[in-house]
């Protein structure tokens, strides 16, 4: 016969109301821990790269609303697995969640290249409408079919940090080694006379330091977080205009999502949607403060102009857009849906 101490009985009595409450809410009694991986520097709920903060806010809120039956471990700086391996791991159910740049998935899912199609999205207002527009619904369906659930849609504007000459107009990149961030961006840059690099943004500091790249186009947040002002001479700021908008959603393995209870799924989806109200203002705040950060470091800054965006758009339509329409299944229709937003 098992002997139970008075302390154990008291502990069980105290725990019982919480268990009953969780049961009434429809939660399973056993807690489950999920892993979130991303490539960006780690911080806290209140400080640091806002994309890391999104994962922490998401985790805290989901844990709260599921009465602790879902918990999370967060692995910033690609500390759990390498950046480019995360999408495949999500599809296989080997990774639970990742805040992952959409075009990085373009090698496996060509339609994901819409997430950084040059000059396709040119404002935050336009990007934010994607989620509920036909193009967003179509992209959601495609990613679902590939094993990935999109939870939080955040578009980010990008600028250009250069250790060589300033980059504004197409002729400025001629002869430069430049990182664009996607296959389609690279096509546009090549057409303008640049050589391209395909390294992820968390490797840009080393790339600029060694001279592997002369200039880097990436989000304002990455330009800040990866401290490229220490190596740059010029910065093109996307405060008002940009031809570079990247979709960086919080993604979840469809296998893992489907294994949750219906109530847990509802919370995960709702909290993911709510994170956009934090993410978009944070992205735009970085667009505003980047010039001050780089200027303080002695970097020459200039705002991207509408005229420059128009000139880049002419090149993008004849290169990246045309190639996507011809090479990607249903690509022409998807582009048309995107242009309607």
């Amino acid at each position: 016969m098992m002997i139970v101490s008075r302390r154990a009985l008291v502990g069980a009595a105290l725990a019982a109301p919480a268990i009953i409450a969780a049961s009434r809410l429809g939660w399973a009694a056993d807690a489950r821990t999920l892993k979130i991986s991303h490539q960006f520097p780690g911080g806290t709920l209140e400080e640091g790269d806002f994309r890391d903060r999104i994962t922490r806010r998401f985790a805290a809120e989901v844990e709260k609303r599921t009465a602790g039956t879902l918990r999370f471990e967060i692995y910033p700086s690609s500390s759990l697995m390498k950046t480019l391996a995360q999408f495949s791991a999500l599809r296989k159910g080997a990774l639970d969640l990742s805040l992952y740049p959409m075009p990085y998935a373009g090698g496996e899912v060509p339609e994901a290249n819409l997430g950084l199609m040059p000059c396709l999205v040119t404002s935050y207002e336009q990007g934010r409408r994607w989620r509920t527009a036909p193009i967003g619904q179509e992209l959601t369906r495609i990613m679902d079919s590939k094993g990935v659930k999109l939870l939080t849609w955040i578009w980010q504007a990008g600028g250009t940090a250069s250790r060589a000459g300033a980059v504004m107009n197409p002729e400025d990149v001629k002869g430069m080694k430049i990182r664009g961030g996607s296959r389609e961006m690279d096509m546009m840059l090549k057409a303008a006379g640049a050589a391209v690099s395909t390294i992820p943004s968390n490797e840009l500091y080393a790339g600029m330091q060694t001279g592997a790249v002369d200039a880097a186009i990436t989000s304002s947040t990455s330009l800040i977080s990866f401290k490229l002002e220490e190596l740059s001479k010029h910065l093109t700021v996307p405060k008002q205009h940009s031809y570079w908008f990247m979709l960086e959603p919080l993604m979840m393995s469809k296998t893992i999502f489907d294994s949750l209870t219906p109530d847990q799924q509802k919370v995960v989806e709702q909290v993911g949607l709510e994170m956009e109200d934090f993410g978009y203002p944070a992205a735009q705040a970085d667009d505003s403060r980047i010039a001050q950060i780089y200027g303080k470091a002695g970097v020459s800054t200039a705002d991207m102009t509408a005229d420059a965006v128009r000139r880049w758009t002419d090149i993008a339509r004849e290169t990246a857009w045309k190639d996507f329409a011809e090479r990607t299944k249903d690509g022409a229709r998807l582009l048309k849906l995107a242009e309607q937003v």
Side-chain angles (χ1 to χ4, degrees):
M1 183 177 73
M2 183 172 67
I3 299 175
V4 181
S5 68
R6 181 176 182 275
R7 179 178 293 179
L9 288 170
V10 171
L14 290 172
I19 295 173
I20 292 170
S23 176
R24 285 173 178 169
L25 288 170
W27 312 123
D30 295 332
R32 182 176 180 183
T33 300
L34 303 178
K35 293 180 172 63
I36 306 177
S37 177
H38 64 77
Q39 67 174 321
F40 309 108
T44 67
L45 281 171
E46 302 301 330
E47 299 291 337
D49 189 303
F50 85 85
R51 294 162 299 193
D52 175 74
R53 292 164 65 197
I54 280 178
T55 65
R56 295 178 190 277
R57 286 168 174 256
F58 172 85
E61 193 61 29
V62 170
E63 182 172 343
K64 175 184 174 182
R65 296 192 199 180
T66 61
T69 61
L70 288 181
R71 298 174 182 174
F72 299 85
E73 294 175 355
I74 298 169
Y75 296 84
S77 302
S78 297
S79 55
L80 182 65
M81 62 180 64
K82 291 183 178 180
T83 302
L84 298 181
Q86 293 176 33
F87 186 73
S88 292
L90 285 172
R91 296 185 66 191
K92 297 172 184 175
L95 174 63
D96 303 318
L97 298 100
S98 175
L99 200 152
Y100 195 75
M102 179 67 82
Y104 288 11
E108 295 183 49
V109 183
E111 296 90 343
N113 286 314
L114 286 170
L116 183 51
M117 182 67 65
C119 309
L120 184 60
V121 172
T122 57
S123 73
Y124 284 102
E125 293 76 15
Q126 179 188 7
R128 194 162 191 179
R129 292 196 297 268
W130 270 49
R131 179 197 269 270
T132 55
I135 183 59
Q137 295 169 2
E138 193 70 356
L139 197 53
T140 295
R141 180 191 64 77
I142 291 168
M143 297 302 284
D144 272 6
S145 73
K146 301 299 182 180
V148 174
K149 182 82 174 175
L150 302 181
L151 299 178
T152 297
W153 292 54
I154 302 290
W155 288 88
Q156 288 188 264
T160 307
S162 171
R163 62 196 291 273
V167 175
M168 177 75 70
N169 294 296
E171 59 269 21
D172 297 332
V173 304
K174 189 172 183 179
M176 269 193 178
K177 292 176 289 185
I178 188 166
R179 182 267 188 185
S182 73
R183 178 178 180 275
E184 282 68 25
M185 278 295 303
D186 290 348
M187 291 186 68
M188 183 183 74
L189 292 168
K190 284 180 181 178
V196 298
S197 169
T198 59
I199 60 175
S201 58
N202 62 321
E203 297 177 17
L204 283 174
Y205 191 97
M208 290 185 70
Q209 190 175 43
T210 61
V213 293
D214 298 316
I217 312 175
T218 190
S219 68
S220 296
T221 309
S222 289
L223 288 169
I224 294 169
S225 291
F226 298 126
K227 301 185 181 300
L228 299 187
E229 74 276 9
E230 297 177 359
L231 304 169
S232 302
K233 294 181 179 179
H234 300 277
L235 174 72
T236 307
V237 184
K239 187 175 180 180
Q240 298 295 332
H241 305 282
S242 182
Y243 55 77
W244 193 103
F245 269 84
M246 180 185 277
L247 178 58
E248 298 192 26
L250 179 62
M251 302 178 174
M252 188 173 196
S253 167
K254 187 73 162 49
T255 299
I256 302 302
F257 180 83
D258 289 345
S259 71
L260 303 179
T261 69
D263 287 317
Q264 288 172 335
Q265 290 177 349
K266 188 181 299 183
V267 169
V268 164
E269 289 187 300
Q270 182 60 37
V271 174
L273 177 61
E274 292 172 9
M275 289 301 104
E276 295 180 13
D277 289 333
F278 166 73
Y280 276 109
Q284 290 174 282
D286 284 346
D287 292 342
S288 294
R289 70 190 184 100
I290 189 173
Q292 180 181 357
I293 292 170
Y294 274 65
K296 188 176 180 181
V299 178
S300 173
T301 67
D303 289 344
M304 172 62 70
T305 67
D307 180 66
V309 172
R310 282 193 291 270
R311 295 183 64 190
W312 281 109
T313 301
D314 290 340
I315 299 174
R317 286 181 179 275
E318 292 302 314
T319 56
W321 292 27
K322 183 178 180 181
D323 179 80
F324 182 86
E326 293 174 351
R327 291 171 55 95
T328 304
K329 181 182 178 182
D330 216 16
R333 185 180 70 88
L334 292 173
L335 272 176
K336 187 175 181 179
L337 289 177
E339 287 188 84
Q340 293 171 356
V341 179

